[in-house]
C-alpha cells in the first residue's frame, strides 16, 4: 500500500506561483507513474500532469503547458508540481495520484490517491 501526502496548496493572486508536494510513504518499484489531477466544484476530476518512473517522461494537459512543471526528488521520494502564472481557472482541489499500470486510463482506475490540497487563485 502506498500512502500519498500532499502539501503546498494555498491562495494566490492571478499571475502568482505555488509549488505542490506529494510525499510517498514507501518506495515501490511497481509504480509506473505519479502525477496530479484536479477537481473544481461541480466539475469532473481532470488530468493535470504525470511523470513516468521508468524514463522520467512527462505529460501535461494543454491547459497547463508552459506554466506547470512536474519533477521528482528520488532522495525524498517526493513529487512536485511547480505552478507559475496561475489563473483563476486553476482554482481546484489538487490530488496526487500513483498507479501501477498507467495514469491516463481514467481517474476512476487510479490505484492510489492523496487527500488533496486546495489551490485558490483570485483575479
Amino acid at each position: 500500500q502506498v500512502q500519498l501526502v500532499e502539501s503546498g496548496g494555498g491562495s494566490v493572486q492571478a499571475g502568482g506561483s505555488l509549488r505542490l508536494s506529494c510525499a510517498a510513504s514507501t518506495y515501490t518499484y511497481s509504480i509506473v507513474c505519479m502525477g496530479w489531477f484536479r477537481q473544481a466544484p461541480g466539475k469532473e476530476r481532470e488530468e493535470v500532469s504525470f511523470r513516468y518512473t521508468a524514463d522520467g517522461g512527462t505529460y501535461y494537459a494543454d491547459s497547463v503547458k508552459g506554466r506547470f512543471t512536474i519533477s521528482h526528488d528520488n532522495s525524498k521520494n517526493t513529487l512536485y508540481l511547480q505552478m507559475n502564472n496561475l489563473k483563476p481557472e486553476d482554482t481546484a482541489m489538487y490530488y496526487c495520484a500513483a498507479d501501477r499500470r498507467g495514469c491516463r486510463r481514467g481517474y476512476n482506475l487510479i490505484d492510489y490517491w492523496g487527500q488533496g490540497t486546495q489551490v485558490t487563485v483570485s483575479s
Side-chain angles (χ1 to χ4, degrees):
Q1 187 74 10
V2 177
Q3 292 183 323
L4 305 172
V5 179
E6 302 105 329
S7 60
S11 297
V12 295
Q13 291 191 324
S17 298
L18 285 173
R19 188 177 80 157
L20 306 184
S21 300
C22 173
S25 62
T26 183
Y27 288 94
T28 171
Y29 299 100
S30 64
I31 295 299
V32 169
C33 62
M34 290 182 67
W36 302 89
F37 286 78
R38 67 185 181 186
Q39 188 167 17
K43 295 188 176 181
E44 200 166 84
R45 195 167 295 194
E46 64 177 6
E47 302 172 339
V48 177
S49 179
F50 307 120
R51 181 184 178 279
Y52 294 90
T53 56
D55 61 2
T58 58
Y59 162 84
Y60 295 95
D62 288 342
S63 58
V64 306
K65 277 181 184 176
R67 301 187 298 121
F68 291 12
T69 302
I70 193 169
S71 62
H72 186 264
D73 186 332
N74 288 333
S75 66
K76 297 180 180 179
N77 204 21
T78 298
L79 186 75
Y80 300 99
L81 186 69
Q82 177 66 43
M83 305 185 295
N84 298 328
N85 191 22
L86 283 160
K87 303 176 180 181
E89 51 263 43
D90 294 317
T91 295
M93 184 71 79
Y94 283 69
Y95 295 91
C96 181
D99 199 86
R100 295 170 294 174
R101 285 152 291 185
C103 291
R104 299 206 63 209
R105 302 178 300 117
Y107 70 84
N108 55 324
L109 297 178
I110 293 292
D111 290 325
Y112 306 108
W113 290 102
Q115 80 285 358
T117 186
Q118 179 67 38
V119 172
T120 303
V121 185
S122 57
S123 57

